[in-house]
Amino acid sequence: MKKFLVLTAIFLIALLTLTGCTENKYNASLSDNAREWVKDEFADDNPTKGLNANGSYPESRTFIIDTQEKYDEILLSDIDELNIDFEKQMLVVYTFTTIYHRKYYLSGLNADNRVLSINYKMETKSGTGDASLPYQRWFVIKLDNLDIDSVEIKEIS
């Protein structure tokens, strides 16, 4: 019996280790290539650094969408993936200049003192390169409605 309990405990520890014990904090989901969801006029009015000779643009831009009015200002109205209830959910739109077309993943979220910190990472590849000319990439992050004033987004390796 003692042996059975020890083996069960080892099995459970191994299972939890292999699955990573990760939770989807704030029920967040990332759409990492969401340019087609952004209104053209809004995208044109919000360029990021590195797209042309004008170096005065910011490295990135972040927008909190917590009302239908903000949604209508930034995003197209017919996006099935973004069926959102603003009483319970919100969106964060993030844009930056990149040369890569790889997939991106959320790697951590934390809300503290009315600031939401989001970490993301890029898919790793080896072999043939996948770089291109610089282009502006758009993320849309759907998550639980949080009481925040700002968002800090950082790519981690």
Side-chain angles (χ1 to χ4, degrees):
M1 180 67 168
K2 205 177 209 184
K3 196 179 217 183
F4 174 75
L5 290 175
V6 170
L7 288 174
T8 303
I10 290 172
F11 173 75
L12 287 174
I13 290 169
L15 181 65
L16 291 174
T17 302
L18 291 175
T19 59
C21 298
T22 58
E23 64 176 281
N24 185 353
K25 198 165 190 181
Y26 311 121
N27 296 306
S29 63
L30 170 66
S31 299
D32 69 332
N33 202 7
R35 172 56 185 95
E36 66 274 7
W37 296 351
V38 179
K39 290 184 174 180
D40 289 337
E41 182 178 333
F42 187 83
D44 292 344
D45 290 344
N46 290 284
T48 53
K49 189 174 188 173
L51 295 176
N52 58 34
N54 184 347
S56 65
Y57 299 130
E59 297 279 335
S60 63
R61 295 179 189 260
T62 306
F63 306 93
I64 299 170
I65 301 177
D66 55 3
T67 64
Q68 187 65 48
E69 292 77 25
K70 289 180 186 176
Y71 181 102
D72 294 340
E73 176 187 343
I74 298 171
L75 300 171
L76 299 173
S77 61
D78 58 347
I79 305 166
D80 292 334
E81 295 90 341
L82 295 183
N83 185 10
I84 187 163
D85 176 1
F86 286 108
E87 294 290 319
K88 300 176 185 172
Q89 300 166 309
M90 63 187 295
L91 301 171
V92 173
V93 175
Y94 176 68
T95 185
F96 61 103
T97 302
T98 187
I99 60 171
Y100 296 107
H101 295 269
R102 299 177 190 175
K103 184 138 180 71
Y104 287 86
Y105 303 94
L106 293 176
S107 62
L109 287 90
N110 189 48
D112 189 30
N113 293 324
R114 301 181 60 87
V115 177
L116 176 63
S117 299
I118 300 174
N119 293 330
Y120 68 92
K121 60 187 346 182
M122 180 174 42
E123 171 185 59
T124 56
K125 287 187 176 182
S126 59
T128 306
D130 63 345
S132 69
L133 290 173
Y135 74 102
Q136 191 167 352
R137 185 124 181 200
W138 293 80
F139 289 177
V140 174
I141 303 158
K142 183 177 179 180
L143 66 156
D144 293 340
N145 196 344
L146 303 172
D147 189 18
I148 59 168
D149 295 321
S150 63
V151 180
E152 296 172 349
I153 300 180
K154 183 172 84 172
E155 182 176 4
I156 60 170
S157 330

